[in-house]
């Protein structure tokens, strides 16, 4: 049993777990709807973004499963396994489906077929400089954001989908796990700003480093 089970009743932990599972299931449902109704109508950047969402959900569900099993008695695990397995099966199907679509986009034989569906502005050549990455270290946020804004946010040749793609691509570690209600560039950037430009957190971090 973990230390957290000493601080909270098991029922409360289970309720939190169920809320997170419901949130994950909602996101999976949206991805399934997108796959069935819109995937073939969009370009490669949007498909890659959705695939990234799937991979992030896989990581989060695995973390939730391990945390929950840590505070759950062995005899209670059986029923919960089914829920996790169903989600993992759905995510595996989504992952393979999006990967297959990306493969089709990248296949030479399909270039002409998809050409009319992919706006010319998708193929934007960025300046030949190294794009910064951000792993969730608050000390590096200011520098990362300044460089990202200069290269991506303020780049008028990029649309919102492309900016979201690059932002997700450059987030690593804890920063990659940041969640938003809307799958848009502005919502993700706002969430990152709220978290990593938090003055109280910055001051606390400075004190810890003294």
């Amino acid at each position: 049993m973990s230390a957290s089970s000493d601080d909270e009743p098991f029922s409360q932990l289970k309720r939190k777990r169920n809320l997170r599972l419901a949130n994950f299931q909602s996101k999976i449902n949206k991805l399934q709807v997108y796959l069935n109704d819109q995937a073939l109508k969009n370009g490669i950047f949007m498909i890659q973004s959705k695939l990234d969402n799937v991979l992030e959900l896989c990581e989060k569900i695995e973390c939730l499963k391990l945390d929950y099993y840590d505070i759950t008695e062995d005899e209670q695990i059986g029923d919960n396994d089914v829920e996790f397995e169903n989600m993992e099966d759905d995510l595996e199907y989504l992952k393979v489906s999006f990967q297959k679509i990306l493969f089709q986009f990248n296949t030479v034989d399909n270039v002409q077929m998809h050409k009319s569906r992919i706006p010319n502005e998708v193929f934007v050549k960025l300046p030949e400089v190294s794009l910064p990455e951000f792993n969730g270290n608050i000390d590096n946020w200011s520098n990362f954001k300044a460089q990202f804004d200069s290269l991506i946010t303020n780049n008028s040749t990029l649309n919102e989908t492309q900016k979201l793609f690059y932002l997700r691509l450059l987030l690593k570690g804890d920063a990659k796990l940041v969640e938003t209600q809307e799958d848009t560039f502005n919502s993700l950037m706002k969430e990152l700003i709220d978290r990593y430009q938090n003055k109280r957190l910055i001051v606390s971090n400075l004190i810890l480093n003294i």
Side-chain angles (χ1 to χ4, degrees):
M1 301 286 283
S2 69
S4 62
S5 61
D6 295 329
D7 302 326
E8 293 183 276
F10 177 76
S11 59
Q12 187 173 351
L13 290 172
K14 186 174 182 179
R15 186 162 55 252
K16 287 183 178 180
R17 167 261 189 191
N18 289 339
L19 287 173
R20 293 195 68 189
L21 277 181
N23 178 261
F24 292 154
Q25 187 62 61
S26 175
K27 292 183 177 182
I28 290 173
N29 292 342
K30 289 179 181 178
L31 286 166
Q32 289 172 328
V33 170
Y34 175 84
L35 175 65
N36 294 330
D37 298 343
Q38 302 178 48
L40 293 178
K41 301 176 184 178
N42 294 136
I44 190 171
F45 279 87
M46 180 60 80
I47 302 300
Q48 181 63 59
S49 177
K50 297 300 182 184
L51 177 58
D52 288 343
N53 290 346
V54 170
L55 297 177
E56 287 177 24
L57 279 172
C58 288
E59 292 180 11
K60 291 174 182 178
I61 288 175
E62 182 64 21
C63 289
L64 178 62
K65 181 169 67 173
L66 293 176
D67 288 344
Y68 188 70
Y69 286 176
D70 190 43
I71 53 92
T72 304
E73 299 294 343
D74 291 344
E75 59 270 18
Q76 296 176 307
I77 288 179
D79 293 338
N80 297 307
D81 260 341
V82 175
E83 291 183 84
F84 285 119
E85 287 175 3
N86 288 339
M87 284 191 176
E88 288 167 345
D89 288 344
D90 289 341
L91 287 170
E92 182 65 22
Y93 176 78
L94 286 166
K95 182 178 75 171
V96 172
S97 298
F98 286 132
Q99 287 174 334
K100 182 178 179 181
I101 294 172
L102 285 174
F103 176 78
Q104 291 173 341
F105 271 119
N106 290 317
T107 300
V108 175
D109 292 340
N110 288 305
V111 169
Q112 291 302 319
M113 180 179 69
H114 292 291
K115 189 174 182 180
S116 62
R117 298 176 183 168
I118 306 176
N120 290 331
E121 61 267 21
V122 166
F123 302 101
V124 175
K125 183 175 177 60
L126 294 175
E128 294 185 2
V129 295
S130 297
L131 291 172
E133 293 182 349
F134 180 64
N135 64 3
N137 185 336
I138 196 170
D139 293 333
N140 300 330
W141 167 253
S142 179
N143 185 53
F144 165 79
K145 187 172 186 303
Q147 293 184 63
F148 186 88
D149 285 346
S150 176
L151 295 171
I152 305 297
T153 306
N154 300 329
N155 190 332
S156 60
T157 64
L158 296 174
N159 60 36
E160 296 301 297
T161 299
Q162 294 163 336
K163 291 176 183 178
L164 176 62
F165 171 79
Y166 283 115
L167 182 55
R168 288 192 179 280
L169 183 68
L170 297 170
L171 294 179
K172 308 295 180 183
D174 291 341
K176 191 175 181 65
L177 301 179
V178 173
E179 296 183 30
T180 59
Q181 291 296 322
E182 300 175 21
D183 188 24
T184 65
F185 170 73
N186 287 333
S187 65
L188 180 55
M189 180 58 80
K190 181 180 184 303
E191 185 67 27
L192 290 167
I193 290 173
D194 289 345
R195 178 170 302 193
Y196 295 109
Q197 285 185 202
N198 184 310
K199 292 183 179 180
R200 182 176 298 176
L201 184 59
I202 293 173
V203 171
S204 176
N205 193 58
L206 288 173
I207 293 174
L208 289 174
N209 290 330
I210 293 177

